[in-house]
Amino acid sequence: MNVTKFAICAVITVGLIVFLNNGWNIKGTPIPPLGKFLDPYHGFWQNIEKTDYKPGKQINFEGLQEPVTIVFDTLMIPHIFAKNDADLYKAQGYVTAMHRLWQMELQTHAAAGRLTEIMGNEVILNIDRANRRLGMGYGAKHVLDYMQENDTVRTMIESYTNGINAYINSLNYEHLPFEYKLLDYQPEQWTPLKCAQLLMNMAKTLNIFDKDIEMTNALRMFGKANVDLLYPDDEKVGDPIVDNTGKWNFPPLQPDTIPLAVPEELISMNRLTERDPTVGSNNWAVSGTKTATGSPILCNDPHLGLSLPSLWYVVQLNAPGVNAMGASLPGAPGIIIGYNDSIAWGMTNAQRDLVDWFKITYKDTLRNEYKFGDGWAKTEKVVEEFKMKGGSTFYDTVIYTRWGPVTYDDRFHAENNHRDYAFRWIAHDKSEEIMTFYKLNRAKNHAGYMKALNHFSSPAQNFVFASVSGDIAIRIQGKFPLRRPNEGRFVLDGSNPHHGWRTFIPAYQNASQKNPERGFVSSANQYPTDNTYPYYITATSFEAYRNRRINEILTKKNGVTVDDMMTLQSDNYNLKAAESVPVFLSYLDSTRFTPDERIAFDKLRKWDFFNDKDSEAASYYEAWWDALVPMIWDEMESETVTLDIPTAYTTIKLIREQPDLVFFDRVKTESKETAREVVQQSFSNGVANIKQWMENTEARQREEGLYGGPATGPAWGRFKGSYIGHLIPTLRPLSIPVNTGGNHDIVNAHSRTKGPSWRMIVSLEKSGVKGFGTYPGGQSGNPGSPHYSKLLDRWVEGKTFPLTFMKEPGEPGTYSTTTLNPE
Amino acid sequence: MRFIIQVLVITILASIMELFLPWWSIALAAAVGGYLFSTGANFLAGFLSIVILWVITSITIDLTAGAALTEKVAAIFSTTKPVLFVITALIGGLVGGFAAMAGGALRKDRRRMKYY
C-alpha cells in the first residue's frame, strides 16, 4: 500500500468534496455549492420537468381525516375535492407549496424583515430594517391574534400550515425548489404567523402610501392656494365609483373641529414608501339587461408589479358547503378573487389615506418618554435582531409610541432631518380579512357578500359583485378613520392627544350600490363617491382616465359578450393622450422642426390614440410625456426638501388652462418659460431620446434577440421594453421579455414592469357559472417546468383561457389525478 | 480490457449509489473501483467514468426537458449551455479521478489482482 500516495489523493478528494459541497462568496458574488448543484442526480438538473410531467398519483399525508382528490387540468390548475374544511385547507396548503414554496417563504421573509438570512448584504439589511421599522411584524402579530381567537379561521390557518409543512417535510435536496439550490439555503417550517406576514405584505403593496410629508412641505413653500391648485383632493373628473347623490340615508358621525398644527420645519427624506401612480386595477360587473345571455358578467384585473413566480395561484376548492374557484395568494388559505356556483367577486384598491405621521418630542436623549398632552408618555423599545447570512448578527432598537413605531431616527436614515416621526398605519391594527374570504367563498347571494365584507378592514378595496340570481353590486370596504377636513393630508403633532384616529366610519355607512339604473357598476381607483357623501376623503391620488374609458364603453354597449369584455380588458385607448396631444401640438412651433421632429409631429397628428404594440406615435407621445413631467415640476426636484409632483390630469389641465403659471418656468434657466416653451423643449428631448434608443446598437441587439428581427422604427411594444421579472431581480435570465401595448393610465395598464396581474371574466349563467382567466406566468413556480410561463402567451395576446370548473373529480379537462391518503 | 471494465464498474456503481446517497457518493464508487481494479490509470478511469455518467444523465434530462432551464442556468453563470455541460462533467470527473486514485493506492501489490 502506498500510504503517501493514498493520503495525498484522499486529502485532495475530501478537500474537493468539501469545497464543492459548500457555497462560497467570491468578492460579493455568491457561488452555489457546485458539486451539489451540478450533480445530474440531485442538483438543478432534477428541477427540469419533462414535457409530460405529472404530479405523483398517491401521497400519504399524516393528519388527514379522509382521502382528498386533487385533479390537475391541462393548465396545471388543481381542483381539490375534500370531505371537510380542515382537509380542504390542508390540501390547498400542500398543493400550493408543491408549486410555490420558495416564493411563499421569500415573501414572508421579506415582510418579516429577514431577507438578510438569505442574502446578507448592506442593501438587503436596509430593506429589512425598513420593513421592521414600518411595523410589519407589529401588524402581523395583531393579525395573528385574530387568527387564533376565531375557531373557523384558526382551523383554516392551522390546516393550511399543516399542509405546507407536510410538503416541506417530504423534501430532500433532490426535490428542493430550484432557488433554494441556487441560493444555497433550506426552507424552514411554515407557521400561522407567516400567513399573517403574507397579508401584511399585500397591505404594504396596496395602502402604505401617503404624501403627508410632501404636502406639509408644499404648504410651507407654495402656500394654501397653490396646494389646492396643484394637489386637489378631488379632481372632479369622471363618475365616482358610487354615485348616490342626495340619497345617503344614515346619520353621519360628526368629527370635532380642532385647528391642525403644521410643523414649522421643511422636511427632507428618502421615502421608503414612495407612492406609485402606475399601480391600479379595474373591475366592473354588467347587469343581465345589458348582456347577450341575459346573465350578469363580472370582470376584474388587479394591476400590480408583475413577477415570476406569479403573485397569483389559481385553484378550485370543493368540500361540503363550498365550491369556489379563482385566484389565491400563495401563503393564504381560500380564494381571494373568484367565483362559486352562485356569485362572483373581484377587487380594486380603494384609494384612501390610511397612514399618518406624528412628530414626536422626546423628554431627553434617553428617549424613554415623549411629550403627550400636559405630561409625558412612556416609549417602548424593541430590539430587532437581524441574522446575516454568513453568521454575524445586527441589532437595531426601534422605539414605539402610542401612535406606532418611530420609523426614522438618528439610527436609520439619519442623513435627513425628518427624525422622530411616528408611523401610524391602518394595517397595524387587528383585522379579520381571512374571514371575509372564508365567507365570500361560500356566499350564496348579495346578503352573503355584504356579511362577508363586514369583516374586511385593510387594505381597503372596492369589492365588485355579481350573482346568478341577477344582482350586481359594488362596495368600498375598509376600516376608514373618521377624519376632520384636511386631516391626514399633512403631518400631525404627536404631543396632541386630540390628533390621531378617534373613531371609524361604521361599516354599513361605507359607500355601496346595488343594481344601479345604468346597468353596470365599475371601479378603477377613481374618487369613490359623489360630493354629497358626508365624510371627508383624501388619498395620495385618484385615477382619472381608465375609469372614464371603461364607463364610456360600458354605457354605450348592449348585448355584451365575454369576448367584448376580453377586448375591453386589453383596450389600449390612451385617453390621456387624446386629451393632451391636441393641446401639446398646438403649442409647437413647426417652423423650427428638425427632420426627425417633423416625422414625429406627422405621426402624432395622424395618431388614433391607441397605444398598440406596433404604434410608433405612441412611443413619441410617451417619450414626450416622460421628458415633459420632470421639466414642468423641476420645482419639486429639490435635494433638501421632499415634494410630490401633481397628477397627470392636473398637469394637463394646467398646461391647457394656465400656460403662464409660474411653475412652468424652469428653475435652472435664466429665461422665463411658459407651458409653450416647456412643451416645445420636451418634444425635442423626447424625439432625441427615441433617436438615441434607435441608434443604441447594444440595446437594439439585445432587444432584437428578444423580439425577433430588427426594429425599423420605435414600435411602442419594443420601446416600452416590458418584461416579467423573476422575484430576485438579479436573476435576469429567469425573466421573460414581452411585447405588448398599453401603459399606465390605459385600461390595459401594462407599463414596463407593472400591469394586469390576473385577468378574470365570469359569466353568471343559470345553466352554470363560466369563468375565464389568465395571468402573466404559470401555475408552477419552478423555472424548470413547462408550467412556469404557460399562461403568459394568451395574456400577451389579450385573451383568456376558459377555466374548468368541476362539479366532481374526473370531469373533462382532467390531466392527472393525485390522491392524498390519511396515514 | 481491465481499464474498460474498471470504467464500466465505476460508472454503474456510481449510478446506483447516487440513487440513495448524495452527490459525493461518486467518490465512494470511484474509490471502490480504483481499489478493486487498480490499473495504471486509476485517475483516468475515475475521471472518465463520472464524466460519462454525468454527461449522459444531464444530456438525457436536457433532451426531454419541458422548459429551457439549462440555458437559463448557463446564462446565470454568464456562460453557454455547452460550457455548462463541460463544467458539470469536469467537476464530477475531478472528484471521481482523485477518489479512484486514492482507492488504487490502498492496494498493496497490483499483481495480486491477476486472479480477477
Side-chain angles (χ1 to χ4, degrees), chain A residues 694-732:
Chain A
M694 291 287 291
E695 285 167 357
N696 185 337
T697 45
E698 197 201 0
R700 277 278 298 285
Q701 277 165 357
R702 200 181 323 128
E703 172 256 9
E704 281 158 19
L706 301 177
Y707 299 120
T712 50
W716 170 234
R718 292 175 171 219
F719 183 64
K720 182 166 65 134
S722 296
Y723 61 94
I724 316 292
H726 187 267
L727 276 175
I728 297 194
T730 49
L731 297 179
R732 280 304 292 267

Side-chain angles (χ1 to χ4, degrees), chain A residues 640-745:
Chain A
T640 51
V641 183
T642 307
L643 290 159
D644 195 16
I645 59 164
T647 63
Y649 182 79
T650 294
T651 304
I652 291 167
K653 187 168 177 234
L654 293 173
I655 291 171
R656 188 174 57 235
E657 294 172 5
Q658 303 188 41
D660 298 323
L661 193 70
V662 63
F663 289 96
F664 291 118
D665 185 32
R666 296 177 69 189
V667 182
K668 284 182 183 157
T669 58
E670 288 191 0
S671 54
K672 172 102 182 136
E673 286 93 1
T674 69
R676 287 171 188 279
E677 284 81 26
V678 175
V679 164
Q680 178 96 40
Q681 184 59 49
S682 57
F683 176 67
S684 300
N685 293 4
V687 172
N689 287 346
I690 293 221
K691 193 170 159 84
Q692 199 188 2
W693 176 83
M694 291 287 291
E695 285 167 357
N696 185 337
T697 45
E698 197 201 0
R700 277 278 298 285
Q701 277 165 357
R702 200 181 323 128
E703 172 256 9
E704 281 158 19
L706 301 177
Y707 299 120
T712 50
W716 170 234
R718 292 175 171 219
F719 183 64
K720 182 166 65 134
S722 296
Y723 61 94
I724 316 292
H726 187 267
L727 276 175
I728 297 194
T730 49
L731 297 179
R732 280 304 292 267
L734 299 183
S735 300
I736 301 179
V738 288
N739 185 2
T740 63
N743 205 4
H744 50 82
D745 302 315

Side-chain angles (χ1 to χ4, degrees), chain A residues 549-580:
Chain A
R549 174 68 177 170
I550 291 166
N551 289 350
E552 186 203 334
I553 301 271
L554 292 180
T555 303
K556 271 196 280 191
K557 200 135 189 102
N558 284 302
V560 169
T561 63
V562 168
D563 279 348
D564 291 335
M565 297 293 90
M566 269 184 227
T567 307
L568 180 53
Q569 281 186 335
S570 51
D571 177 79
N572 286 331
Y573 184 69
N574 190 339
L575 179 58
K576 183 176 99 184
E579 291 181 350
S580 55

Side-chain angles (χ1 to χ4, degrees), chain A residues 329-350:
Chain A
L329 280 176
I335 286 160
I336 307 291
I337 294 176
Y339 54 96
N340 61 30
D341 294 319
S342 314
I343 70 156
W345 70 95
M347 286 134 73
T348 62
N349 201 38

Side-chain angles (χ1 to χ4, degrees), chain A residues 385-681:
Chain A
E385 191 182 278
F386 301 80
K387 293 189 181 122
M388 310 290 288
K389 183 167 187 171
S392 62
T393 307
F394 179 89
Y395 296 95
D396 189 18
T397 305
V398 185
I399 294 173
Y400 279 78
T401 65
R402 60 180 289 121
W403 311 113
V406 177
T407 305
Y408 311 96
D409 56 26
D410 60 352
R411 272 158 277 183
F412 190 64
H413 283 244
E415 69 273 16
N416 305 313
N417 64 342
H418 58 263
R419 265 166 271 168
D420 303 337
Y421 281 89
F423 179 58
R424 175 74 175 101
W425 178 28
I426 193 74
H428 288 153
D429 294 10
K430 195 167 173 174
S431 63
E432 309 179 359
E433 284 73 39
I434 289 289
M435 188 51 127
T436 297
F437 298 109
Y438 179 87
K439 289 190 174 173
L440 271 179
N441 289 189
R442 291 162 176 78
K444 299 260 177 266
N445 49 35
H446 182 260
Y449 148 86
M450 291 296 273
K451 271 188 205 149
L453 262 50
N454 288 339
H455 294 276
F456 195 93
S457 40
S458 156
Q461 298 290 303
N462 306 310
F463 282 90
V464 69
F465 165 88
S467 69
V468 172
S469 55
D471 289 325
I472 57 166
I474 197 159
R475 173 165 160 189
I476 300 160
Q477 178 58 28
K479 190 172 158 195
F480 299 120
L482 172 68
R483 288 196 181 278
R484 307 171 178 107
N486 284 320
E487 181 194 293
R489 279 179 98 185
F490 309 102
V491 296
L492 296 163
D493 178 4
S495 70
N496 186 339
H498 298 290
H499 281 177
W501 306 341
R502 297 152 306 277
T503 186
F504 295 89
I505 298 173
Y508 83 92
Q509 296 186 1
N510 283 339
S512 68
Q513 197 166 38
K514 184 183 172 191
N515 300 329
E517 268 175 38
R518 64 179 178 174
F520 67 91
V521 290
S522 76
S523 76
N525 319 100
Q526 74 264 41
Y527 197 82
T529 61
D530 64 78
N531 60 16
T532 64
Y533 185 66
Y535 293 110
Y536 173 71
I537 292 169
T538 183
T540 51
S541 63
F542 295 104
E543 201 280 327
Y545 297 103
R546 285 180 281 117
N547 77 81
R548 285 189 286 155
R549 174 68 177 170
I550 291 166
N551 289 350
E552 186 203 334
I553 301 271
L554 292 180
T555 303
K556 271 196 280 191
K557 200 135 189 102
N558 284 302
V560 169
T561 63
V562 168
D563 279 348
D564 291 335
M565 297 293 90
M566 269 184 227
T567 307
L568 180 53
Q569 281 186 335
S570 51
D571 177 79
N572 286 331
Y573 184 69
N574 190 339
L575 179 58
K576 183 176 99 184
E579 291 181 350
S580 55
V581 167
V583 185
F584 290 2
L585 291 180
S586 75
Y587 284 4
L588 294 180
D589 176 0
S590 59
T591 59
R592 288 163 47 195
F593 283 161
T594 64
D596 286 327
E597 288 171 10
R598 168 63 62 190
I599 293 170
F601 179 80
D602 288 339
K603 285 194 193 292
L604 282 164
R605 217 178 34 181
K606 290 181 207 144
W607 187 26
D608 59 2
F609 305 120
F610 279 84
N611 270 41
D612 291 331
K613 69 178 163 52
D614 298 324
S615 168
E616 293 182 8
S619 299
Y620 284 110
Y621 175 75
E622 299 292 350
W624 189 357
W625 177 258
D626 289 344
L628 174 66
V629 170
M631 211 180 271
I632 295 180
W633 303 120
D634 52 351
E635 288 83 355
M636 319 305 179
E637 287 294 301
S638 163
E639 280 179 17
T640 51
V641 183
T642 307
L643 290 159
D644 195 16
I645 59 164
T647 63
Y649 182 79
T650 294
T651 304
I652 291 167
K653 187 168 177 234
L654 293 173
I655 291 171
R656 188 174 57 235
E657 294 172 5
Q658 303 188 41
D660 298 323
L661 193 70
V662 63
F663 289 96
F664 291 118
D665 185 32
R666 296 177 69 189
V667 182
K668 284 182 183 157
T669 58
E670 288 191 0
S671 54
K672 172 102 182 136
E673 286 93 1
T674 69
R676 287 171 188 279
E677 284 81 26
V678 175
V679 164
Q680 178 96 40
Q681 184 59 49

Side-chain angles (χ1 to χ4, degrees), chain A residues 22-93:
Chain A
N22 283 289
W24 301 90
N25 199 311
I26 296 167
K27 289 181 184 166
T29 310
I31 310 283
L34 289 174
K36 265 164 107 174
F37 185 77
L38 294 176
D39 168 19
Y41 285 83
H42 304 93
F44 87 88
W45 301 97
Q46 287 298 323
N47 295 86
I48 298 177
E49 290 174 8
K50 290 184 179 164
T51 315
D52 58 353
Y53 164 82
K54 289 180 177 178
K57 290 213 169 341
Q58 302 284 335
I59 292 167
N60 289 330
F61 198 125
E62 201 185 315
L64 212 59
Q65 294 167 30
E66 295 186 65
V68 176
T69 306
I70 305 175
V71 176
F72 294 92
D73 64 28
T74 49
L75 301 175
M76 206 38 88
I77 295 172
H79 304 260
I80 304 174
F81 294 87
K83 304 273 169 28
N84 58 70
D85 279 357
D87 286 352
L88 181 68
Y89 294 113
K90 273 178 196 160
Q92 191 189 2

